[in-house]
Amino acid sequence: MKARGGGPSELVRQLGAAILGAACFALAFALAATISAMRPLEAPADSPPGAAPSTDHLKGIDDVVPIASYTLSAKLDANTHAVTASGEIRFKNASSRAVDHLFLHLYMNAFEHERTVFRRKSGSGMRGEDVVETSGSIVVESLSWKEQGTGDIFPHDAHTPNDVDDRTDILVPLPRAIEPNEEAIFEVRFRTNLPSVALRAGYSDSFHMVAQWFPKLAKLEPDGTWAHFPYERFSEFYSNYGDYDVTIDVPSTFDVGATGSLASDERIGERRVLRFTQRAVGDFAFAAWDGFAEATRQADGVAIRCLFPRGQDRAASIELEAAARGLAYYGDKFGPYPYDQLTIVHPPSGAGEAGGMEYPTLITTGGGPWQALVPARVLEVLTLHELAHQWFYGIVGTNENASPFLDEGLTSYATERALVATYGEDSLVDVLPFPVSLAELERASQLGSYDRAPVATRAGGFESGSDYARLVYSRAATILRTLDGAFDDAGLRSLGAYARTNRFAHPNLSNLVDAIREQGGDEAAAFAEQAFSTRASADFVVTSIENQRDGDAYRRDVTIERRGTLEVPVTVELVDEAGVETRVQWDGRGASTTLTTRGGSPVRTVLVDPERRILVDESRSNDALSLTPHAFAPRTLVLSSFAAALMLHAVAP
Ligand SMILES: [Zn+2]
């Protein structure tokens, strides 16, 4: 889903606040800026220790057994904004049990009226203005089981189980069970009426974003049950992999960007008929418009195509560059991108809600012409975020309804790492007196969110869009960053192992924790499990410094407390009167510790986490204690990220 909580406009708002904050704080932090400007320039480096896992055994698309495949022929009426379609759904019962019913997701029915599950839930703090000027719906005209010669078996009066106001999750009884390993082909005819583009899909003038548009099987689990759910505001994705073959008939003046590779493109009178095919994906979306310009680029054997509003060439070139860098980075860290092409759709300004979305091999960006000119890498972040979803939900097919953070949180984290690795440290805004990193922005946005709900909450379990955005995106990313900081880059290494092991599979939190244990050890796994699954928090406080003469030397006792129950190891730096620095490690167990050292002079200053590795630390204002009045904790201001943190702390909502 959207880049960050709230998508492009929200990101721009936050960046605007950051830039404004920067201006306000520029004087106060001139010192910090000066020091940070003195940092040596280094080439971006982002290699985890140790050799990268071998990639030669990784699954490719030809290793994927198709379970839910679709051959569809769709015709777009650009005047009525309706798609009429027919075709076949090929389903293989890959479970261990006979299946006597299907679940079909009819997501476009979320826009039928205001009482649907989707529209009942407030989106406050997250994407989706509640303006649906024209309603949308999907009408299944018929569904029949081809080999059985059944007539129409679709239950036309059915609604979502236990919810008469919603028709997005429909149980279809079968005349007989489909046995394990049996394949069944269903013929389907349907008509999708697109809503005005207000929430991810729909139309705006002649622009059409056609997503969640066909009757789609829910996900069949290995035990023969269906993982099915109504179209909820904060989740939509979970499906089996399959092969898609979709023919799209549009007015001849239209261009189409779609999932998959273009197999044919014919003009027939006033119409244009394009066919797209793709193996081993879990969904299919397309955009059609007569206002697109096109730019292309090759990157590592992947053909990248960007469709964008005419005149926004600058945005297109930024997005193509970011996608090329992202494909290389993510491919290296999380296993190669397995498809031949990637399509970027930059919707026109009037269709902003179609932007910032991910579908297999197709991502959408967004923003008006001015956005390419702002002094922050908004388009790069958007592109890298949506591209990271090709792994975290696409190639690694998690259940977004049950565990949205495995989708958005891992993606937010991957975006941070990719931005740093490919554009340089603190590269979100780098024209300020001091730069801002995406990690610090995420950290600032999640402060105080820990007691709202555990990060690993199902999509429907968040009280507000703001809780969802702060926990699922920002806190999850901040936890993974802390894994990196506290456990030798264990966040990145674990995600690499997790993505490779679960390529074209459907893992859950315990699979992620397994990877963290394998890559970072038991302590790292315990931290991650507690941080993701509970409301535990951590706030380190230096509470006392005591120096006692002991013969020729001093016994120095420093007491550190951790408020909150989230256990994470941390480094403590002591500086004595002679300026000698000593670093001591606290394993983070228990609520407090007294660290005792001996030295030639008394300790004057103590700083917890001098390198700012523990991003889950709720407050940094209590991380330093000095016996010398008005002294800055040494090193504290050297780190530009600290200045950025203060700035963001001041402007964060
Ligand atoms: Zn997202």
Side-chain angles (χ1 to χ4, degrees):
M1 206 177 303
K2 281 276 188 179
R4 293 197 41 76
S9 55
E10 176 66 8
L11 185 62
V12 170
R13 190 192 66 73
Q14 293 202 12
L15 287 172
I19 292 163
L20 185 68
C24 300
F25 280 76
L27 273 178
F29 292 101
L31 173 63
T34 308
I35 299 169
S36 79
M38 285 158 35
R39 285 178 307 152
L41 286 173
E42 285 170 34
D46 201 6
S47 302
S54 156
T55 56
D56 52 19
H57 63 284
L58 289 183
K59 266 194 195 172
I61 57 176
D62 292 330
D63 302 317
V64 179
V65 175
I67 292 177
S69 297
Y70 299 78
T71 302
L72 299 172
S73 190
K75 182 171 184 177
L76 172 69
D77 183 326
N79 297 316
T80 61
H81 315 296
V83 177
T84 47
S86 61
E88 290 182 353
I89 303 173
R90 206 167 66 246
F91 167 67
K92 181 187 170 89
N93 180 1
S95 81
S96 56
R97 287 220 316 250
V99 168
D100 64 5
H101 63 278
L102 311 173
F103 267 96
L104 277 181
H105 285 163
L106 304 180
Y107 279 175
M108 229 13 109
N109 283 337
F111 307 108
E112 279 188 293
H113 51 67
E114 292 181 355
R115 300 180 309 282
T116 64
V117 168
F118 190 108
R119 298 197 61 202
R120 286 198 303 254
K121 179 99 179 184
S122 161
S124 63
M126 191 51 200
R127 70 178 304 153
E129 295 159 30
D130 280 304
V131 182
V132 180
E133 281 163 10
T134 312
S135 60
S137 63
I138 174 169
V139 178
V140 176
E141 286 157 359
S142 71
L143 178 77
S144 55
W145 186 347
K146 190 175 176 183
E147 302 98 321
Q148 296 293 305
T150 68
D152 182 13
I153 57 169
F154 186 75
H156 293 274
D157 296 329
H159 53 75
T160 296
N162 307 315
D163 197 323
V164 293
D165 284 328
D166 193 275
R167 301 196 299 151
T168 62
D169 183 21
I170 302 298
L171 185 152
V172 180
L174 294 173
R176 75 155 176 84
I178 303 171
E179 297 299 322
N181 284 318
E182 184 183 353
E183 195 170 87
I185 297 175
F186 297 92
E187 292 176 318
V188 65
R189 280 193 302 118
F190 62 97
R191 176 188 165 94
T192 298
N193 302 300
L194 295 170
S196 53
V197 69
L199 300 144
R200 301 179 189 141
Y203 70 89
S204 172
D205 296 325
S206 60
F207 173 82
H208 295 79
M209 185 70 228
V210 187
Q212 306 295 10
W213 59 284
F214 58 94
K216 191 174 165 197
L217 287 169
K219 162 80 167 58
L220 182 72
E221 297 291 27
D223 66 358
T225 59
W226 291 96
H228 65 97
F229 36 82
Y231 192 14
E232 290 190 11
R233 188 172 286 269
F234 301 138
S235 75
E236 57 206 292
F237 300 124
Y238 191 38
S239 40
N240 295 109
Y241 293 99
D243 300 341
Y244 285 70
D245 182 338
V246 181
T247 301
I248 301 165
D249 178 339
V250 294
S252 61
T253 52
F254 277 47
D255 272 316
V256 175
T259 295
S261 295
L262 184 64
S264 65
D265 183 357
E266 275 184 280
R267 283 173 204 276
I268 304 167
E270 299 286 288
R271 305 292 295 181
R272 183 176 178 189
V273 180
L274 308 97
R275 179 173 163 228
F276 293 87
T277 60
Q278 184 59 62
R279 286 224 55 204
V281 288
D283 202 358
F284 187 100
F286 67 95
W289 191 31
D290 54 3
F292 278 133
E294 177 175 347
T296 59
R297 169 168 181 165
Q298 289 284 327
D300 275 344
V302 178
I304 315 175
R305 177 180 187 225
C306 182
L307 293 172
F308 58 97
R310 286 178 200 130
Q312 289 192 231
D313 303 70
R314 168 96 185 112
S317 88
I318 290 172
E319 290 163 17
L320 284 169
E321 175 65 26
R325 293 187 190 199
L327 282 169
Y329 179 80
Y330 297 140
D332 180 43
K333 300 305 175 200
F334 309 132
Y337 182 75
Y339 308 110
D340 294 336
Q341 76 299 313
L342 172 75
T343 300
I344 303 170
V345 171
H346 187 124
S349 302
E353 270 297 327
M357 280 301 299
E358 69 281 7
Y359 304 97
T361 80
L362 183 148
I363 60 176
T364 70
T365 54
W370 58 271
Q371 196 156 292
L373 306 173
V374 300
R377 293 204 164 91
V378 180
L379 289 175
E380 289 89 337
V381 170
L382 250 181
T383 306
L384 288 170
H385 178 102
E386 306 311 336
L387 181 62
H389 276 306
Q390 294 299 315
W391 281 263
F392 300 114
Y393 120 96
I395 300 163
V396 181
T398 46
N399 181 340
E400 198 197 19
N401 191 263
S403 299
F405 89 97
L406 288 176
D407 174 323
E408 296 297 351
L410 270 51
T411 287
S412 297
Y413 165 81
T415 308
E416 287 176 14
R417 295 295 309 238
L419 191 71
V420 170
T422 63
Y423 288 90
E425 188 69 53
D426 297 339
S427 49
L428 180 59
V429 179
D430 63 359
V431 296
L432 300 172
F434 41 88
V436 177
S437 75
L438 189 54
E440 287 297 339
L441 194 68
E442 297 282 16
R443 176 183 176 271
S445 125
Q446 57 84 54
L447 286 171
S449 64
Y450 60 86
D451 65 351
R452 303 289 302 160
V455 167
T457 294
R458 66 185 177 81
F462 293 96
E463 261 180 49
S464 69
S466 163
D467 286 355
Y468 165 81
R470 292 166 74 204
L471 289 159
V472 164
Y473 289 68
S474 300
R475 186 156 177 81
T478 301
I479 289 166
L480 286 162
R481 273 288 191 166
T482 303
L483 266 177
D484 284 336
F487 302 99
D488 191 19
D489 235 14
L492 189 62
R493 288 186 288 119
S494 303
L495 249 58
Y498 163 84
R500 286 175 162 82
T501 305
N502 296 290
R503 204 168 161 86
F504 296 112
H506 305 281
N508 55 31
L509 171 60
S510 72
N511 301 105
L512 177 62
V513 171
D514 287 348
I516 294 169
R517 184 172 293 108
E518 176 195 303
Q519 296 294 319
D522 289 343
E523 213 185 338
F527 162 74
E529 204 156 25
Q530 191 189 9
F532 287 133
S533 304
T534 74
R535 300 178 192 222
S537 64
D539 175 18
F540 293 105
V541 188
V542 187
T543 51
S544 72
I545 303 171
E546 284 178 35
N547 297 293
Q548 277 187 327
R549 187 165 266 290
D550 182 9
D552 291 347
Y554 286 86
R555 174 196 159 108
R556 298 106 52 105
D557 292 327
V558 169
T559 302
I560 313 292
E561 255 179 44
R562 193 203 54 245
R563 296 176 186 159
T565 57
L566 181 56
E567 295 196 337
V568 58
V570 69
T571 300
V572 180
E573 184 174 273
L574 321 174
V575 184
D576 69 16
E577 277 180 359
V580 176
E581 293 171 10
T582 309
R583 287 196 176 185
V584 189
Q585 190 75 5
W586 177 28
D587 65 10
R589 303 265 165 82
S592 71
T593 190
T594 298
L595 304 167
T596 300
T597 55
R598 284 176 61 81
S601 59
V603 165
R604 278 290 163 217
T605 304
V606 175
L607 177 61
V608 177
D609 191 21
E611 292 176 18
R612 301 293 170 207
R613 291 171 165 271
I614 311 301
L615 271 75
V616 293
D617 187 3
E618 275 292 311
S619 170
R620 286 168 171 170
S621 62
N622 52 19
D623 283 5
L625 184 65
S626 179
L627 297 179
T628 311
H630 311 304
F632 281 122
R635 287 171 180 270
T636 300
L637 292 180
V638 175
L639 294 165
S640 62
S641 61
F642 180 70
L646 288 175
M647 175 189 87
L648 285 162
H649 199 90
V651 300

